[in-house]
Amino acid sequence: SDLDVTRAQVIGLALSWKKGQGYYVPLPDRRDEGIAILREFGPLFENEAVEKIGHNLKFDLAVLLWNGIAVKGPFFDTMLAHALVEPDQRHGMDYLSETYLGYTPVSIKTLLGEDAKKKKKDPDQLMMLDMTMQEVARERLDEVAEYAAEDADVTFQLSEILRGLLEERGQHRVFYDIEAPLLPVLVAMEHEGIALDKAALSEIGATLEASIRELEKSIQERAGGPFNLNSPKQLGEILFDKLKLDEKPKKTKTGQYKTDEQVLAALAPKHPLVREILDYREATKLKSTYVDALPGFLNPKSRRIHSSFQQLVTATGRLNSNNPNLQNIPVRSALGREVRKAFVPRGPEWLLLSADYSQVELRVMAALSGDAAMVEAFQQGIDIHSATAARVNGVALDAVEPEMRRTAKMVNFGIIYGISAFGLSQRLGIGRSEAKEIIDEYFRQYPGVQAYMEKTIEDAKAAGYVETITGRRRFLPDITSGNATVRGAAERTAINTPIQGTAADMIKIAMARVAAALDEGGFRTRMILQVHDELVFDLVPEEAEKVTPIIVACMRDAIPLSVPVVVDTGTGRNWLEAH
């Protein structure tokens, strides 16, 4: 009855287990009566010997869970399977049916009369436009039964085809060992949600508002007069016509000066006004995106925020969060960290527990490249940024200064993303020749990393794709492009994907193992959030001594590497305190 899983009522259930056949069970309008009938299917839902097949199965599992029905796997999701088989294509069921079965199913828009409205045809269907799905199901039961049973049949047929394609494309391990087991874990995590302290959020909002006003005043004083800070045109005129911060400023296609974050970051060392503009933009974005918006995401029934997590939206396999997106809260800035104070445990007797991979992408880089110096630093537990700073600057480890470490950190992470001398010079505010020398020295100190990068690009050109340690593939059609810019971008992607993708696979595997371990142990502690390399839990304090080592072990051992995998943990009365 609704696309919001927290509100949706189940109108009917469609099943198919043989090509060309489908069955539809309509449910009564009264929710409690409908749930009672759904419970009759308990032996099917709970039978772990029966695979449950669906398209975008997470939605169905979530709707059932919000209606009190927990479904046990194994699961086969045709949408996820196709996203692994053909990552660059569309993954809608109708598209897959037309592509693989040569059949166009009845559209939901046709069922609801939306197609008729566009074409101004069929008065009967036009009359249906103001009807709810429940009313359509009641008034046109035969049509709804046909539509729903067809969906189940088509999905069943697609699953048979996609199983073979997963094997053929070498993606069966990624699907069966990583993505499919993660489905119920995400459903449960989304269902748990996270609590929000509205009073703390209001305080943060007041602080941000004061900061915004101070920045506005300071920026306009530095600019020599008032102007609209939110106008790229006016800002460009201040920066380039008035302050002349760049002799050859970049312009948009319309001839307006570019004032995006990348441009401003490069200019920041030249004038304090630019740094303040960046701070102003961050503060206003934090206020509008989180402080003002988060209360609107509180569920009226649970009084918690239930973000949604997508498994295969990003090309590297990293989880993606939306409604709201909790993965974009800045962690490196003081203002961003303040927002985390508003996320709290579910009750006064609980705590939040954070478990965070330490420098996981650099550890994956060390394992993949096998570079002796980098592997040794991790095996000896030396801070990798300090170790890099010492090597690149030719000084002893204890002589590394904070600025040296900061530069080394930028280089370490930049190398993973195939950073150029120009890119590094912009980030560090130094000359391009100096940046090039830093990168050259980095490769002299870590020759294994350079060899790995070169071999990865060669292999990608030969195969047309790159792989993570688990075998997740990313196809790179542009890797042999005649256009140097396009080819360069594909080469950077080739270098980064096995690293970032392996890190993504690690936390996905860890999540499934952690969820299973918490369930098997009968613990009340529950996983409630995943953000990049971090898992957040509602923790029962009395369980801390038992569950913390279990969580750490599941994360540490998810994918064995040739270097130690370190997981940092912390607890607190809010997310910032726990991190």
Side-chain angles (χ1 to χ4, degrees):
S1 67
D2 202 304
L3 290 177
D4 181 341
V5 298
T6 69
R7 294 196 308 249
Q9 181 176 336
V10 185
I11 293 167
L13 179 68
L15 307 96
S16 175
W17 56 91
K18 186 177 179 182
K19 180 180 177 179
Q21 288 187 11
Y23 299 84
Y24 179 67
V25 182
L27 300 183
D29 281 352
R30 278 191 54 176
R31 185 186 286 265
D32 57 342
E33 292 177 1
I35 291 173
I37 292 174
L38 280 174
R39 290 194 192 283
E40 295 290 330
F41 290 86
L44 170 65
F45 290 144
E46 294 162 17
N47 189 339
E48 294 182 60
V50 177
E51 183 184 63
K52 321 303 186 299
I53 302 165
H55 191 83
N56 191 17
L57 192 52
K58 186 162 76 71
F59 177 83
D60 302 77
L61 297 178
V63 169
L64 286 167
L65 188 56
W66 277 93
N67 281 273
I69 311 286
V71 185
K72 291 183 179 176
F75 300 107
F76 190 97
D77 187 330
T78 48
M79 186 179 78
L80 288 181
H82 188 255
L84 288 171
V85 167
E86 295 287 358
D88 297 323
Q89 288 186 11
R90 289 179 287 147
H91 311 301
M93 195 203 75
D94 290 1
Y95 173 76
L96 298 195
S97 179
E98 290 166 359
T99 302
Y100 295 107
L101 306 177
Y103 177 75
T104 303
V106 173
S107 163
I108 184 74
K109 292 181 178 180
T110 299
L111 188 71
L112 293 173
E114 290 178 21
D115 287 343
K117 186 178 182 182
K118 285 179 186 172
K119 297 171 185 174
K120 296 186 171 62
K121 292 176 182 175
D122 193 343
D124 287 344
Q125 283 201 326
L126 284 170
M127 286 172 63
M128 291 168 59
L129 286 170
D130 294 326
M131 298 170 74
T132 65
M133 189 66 197
Q134 282 164 306
E135 290 168 333
V136 173
R138 197 185 308 123
E139 298 291 327
R140 301 192 175 194
L141 179 59
D142 288 349
E143 288 179 44
V144 170
E146 181 74 22
Y147 162 80
E150 180 187 74
D151 260 19
D153 172 34
V154 165
T155 303
F156 176 77
Q157 290 188 50
L158 287 171
S159 72
E160 298 292 281
I161 293 168
L162 288 165
R163 284 180 213 279
L165 289 174
L166 284 168
E167 290 278 348
E168 189 182 301
R169 306 286 166 84
Q171 296 302 286
H172 51 288
R173 183 188 167 198
V174 176
F175 181 82
Y176 291 110
D177 293 354
I178 301 176
E179 301 300 346
L182 189 62
L183 267 172
V185 177
L186 293 180
V187 170
M189 187 173 77
E190 292 173 4
H191 188 263
E192 289 291 336
I194 189 166
L196 187 73
D197 183 340
K198 289 172 75 175
L201 198 65
S202 293
E203 284 182 28
I204 295 161
T207 303
L208 280 170
E209 186 63 37
S211 178
I212 289 165
R213 295 294 156 253
E214 283 177 24
L215 285 165
E216 278 180 340
K217 185 181 176 186
S218 177
I219 289 165
Q220 291 182 344
E221 283 176 359
R222 291 186 192 279
F227 72 100
N228 182 356
L229 275 66
N230 299 313
S231 165
K233 182 176 184 294
Q234 291 184 34
L235 176 60
E237 289 166 356
I238 295 287
L239 296 178
F240 304 115
D241 292 340
K242 191 170 184 178
L243 298 177
K244 302 194 183 302
L245 297 183
D246 194 335
E247 290 178 11
K248 296 180 179 178
K250 294 178 182 177
K251 292 189 177 183
T252 63
K253 289 178 182 176
T254 59
Q256 190 173 297
Y257 291 122
K258 279 191 175 183
T259 58
D260 56 34
E261 190 172 349
Q262 189 178 357
V263 169
L264 294 183
L267 293 174
K270 295 185 177 181
H271 200 288
L273 179 146
V274 185
R275 179 70 263 164
E276 288 183 345
I277 284 286
L278 286 167
D279 292 342
Y280 169 82
R281 284 186 178 179
E282 183 192 18
T284 52
K285 186 177 179 182
L286 281 171
K287 188 169 185 302
S288 62
T289 307
Y290 296 109
V291 175
D292 296 343
L294 282 174
F297 286 102
L298 281 168
N299 182 274
K301 284 191 280 188
S302 69
R303 303 307 300 160
R304 292 167 71 81
I305 288 177
H306 301 273
S307 184
S308 178
F309 291 83
Q310 284 74 44
Q311 286 170 261
L312 293 173
V313 170
T314 60
T316 55
R318 275 195 176 276
L319 283 170
N320 176 268
S321 151
N322 63 20
N323 294 324
N325 182 347
L326 298 178
Q327 298 187 325
N328 276 0
I329 299 173
V331 130
R332 293 182 181 88
S333 71
L335 289 175
R337 289 193 292 271
E338 283 295 301
V339 174
R340 291 189 169 210
K341 281 185 182 176
F343 293 91
V344 294
R346 65 178 59 224
E349 72 282 12
W350 295 69
L351 290 172
L352 286 186
L353 164 67
S354 165
D356 195 6
Y357 279 118
S358 169
Q359 300 171 336
V360 65
E361 291 186 357
L362 291 175
R363 292 172 194 274
V364 172
M365 163 70 98
L368 287 173
S369 68
D371 182 89
M374 192 173 277
V375 168
E376 183 185 13
F378 279 123
Q379 286 178 340
Q380 292 185 0
I382 300 169
D383 172 63
I384 191 63
H385 303 313
S386 296
T388 299
R391 284 181 165 274
V392 170
N393 290 282
V395 300
L397 198 61
D398 57 8
V400 171
E401 296 173 2
E403 188 59 28
M404 289 180 186
R405 187 185 181 278
R406 188 184 79 84
T407 299
K409 184 177 181 180
M410 193 76 75
V411 177
N412 274 330
F413 285 113
I415 291 294
I416 290 175
Y417 292 91
I419 198 166
S420 64
F422 174 70
L424 185 63
S425 70
Q426 284 201 311
R427 287 197 197 180
L428 295 175
I430 59 177
R432 198 182 302 190
S433 58
E434 187 182 345
K436 182 179 183 303
E437 180 52 38
I438 290 172
I439 292 174
D440 289 346
E441 185 58 33
Y442 179 95
F443 286 135
R444 280 194 285 272
Q445 296 301 327
Y446 296 125
V449 172
Q450 186 170 28
Y452 160 76
M453 290 167 68
E454 289 170 353
K455 186 175 187 306
T456 299
I457 292 168
E458 283 175 26
D459 291 348
K461 286 177 178 175
Y465 60 81
V466 288
E467 284 186 328
T468 64
I469 288 176
T470 63
R472 183 188 301 277
R473 290 181 183 175
R474 184 170 182 181
F475 292 88
L476 300 165
D478 293 331
I479 196 80
T480 54
S481 170
N483 183 313
T485 304
V486 171
R487 186 176 65 255
E491 289 175 353
R492 287 191 292 275
T493 300
I495 293 163
N496 170 248
T497 295
I499 299 164
Q500 198 178 97
T502 295
D505 290 342
M506 283 176 72
I507 202 158
K508 283 181 170 180
I509 292 167
M511 289 171 75
R513 292 183 182 177
V514 167
L518 292 179
D519 285 341
E520 287 164 15
F523 296 109
R524 289 162 58 213
T525 295
R526 280 290 172 264
M527 183 160 47
I528 58 172
L529 202 59
Q530 185 272 354
V531 178
H532 304 306
D533 303 321
E534 176 186 9
L535 298 178
V536 182
F537 300 81
D538 261 333
L539 173 72
V540 178
E542 303 81 64
E543 295 178 351
E545 284 188 17
K546 288 185 178 179
V547 302
T548 305
I550 290 171
I551 291 165
V552 169
C554 288
M555 293 176 72
R556 185 191 60 221
D557 303 333
I559 296 177
L561 300 178
S562 58
V563 298
V565 174
V566 175
V567 179
D568 297 323
T569 62
T571 60
R573 296 293 313 149
N574 60 58
W575 188 11
L576 178 62
E577 207 176 279
H579 188 267

